[in-house]
Amino acid sequence: LAQCFALVPGVSRSGVTITAALLLGWTRPDAARFSFLLGIPLIAVASVARLADLIWQGDPNRPAAATLAAGVLFSFLSGFLCIKYFLRFLQHRSFLPFVVYRLLLAFLIFWFWWR
């Protein structure tokens, strides 16, 4: 249910699901792990759909198979490492720096928008 809030522009799906899990009493690492696991089916389906578009669309500018494979491999590795170190970070620290960053960014965006 919390993921529905991610339909609002600028709202992070993982941020919403982590916040919901924390409100339910989960630990920070468990909430983050659960949120990332929730994203796997969505990311997998979107990736397969996009890959199908690239393969069957007949676009002459589509990337070569090697380029596409390299992109998938590096995306997987960077995502894996990011999640690994983020979970380690959460074992000893809170989400406060991320909350402050998001609030400051929102304030700046609204300030420039309404000027």
Side-chain angles (χ1 to χ4, degrees), residues 66-83:
T67 305
L68 190 60
V72 169
L73 176 65
F74 284 111
S75 294
F76 172 79
L77 289 175
S78 64
F80 177 80
L81 291 173
C82 180
I83 290 171

Side-chain angles (χ1 to χ4, degrees), residues 15-31:
V16 168
T17 55
I18 290 171
T19 301
L22 289 174
L23 291 173
L24 292 172
W26 292 34
T27 64
R28 288 187 308 266
D30 286 343

Side-chain angles (χ1 to χ4, degrees), residues 1 4 32 37 63-64 76 83 95 102:
L1 182 62
C4 293
L37 288 173
F76 172 79
I83 290 171
F95 285 107
R102 292 290 296 192

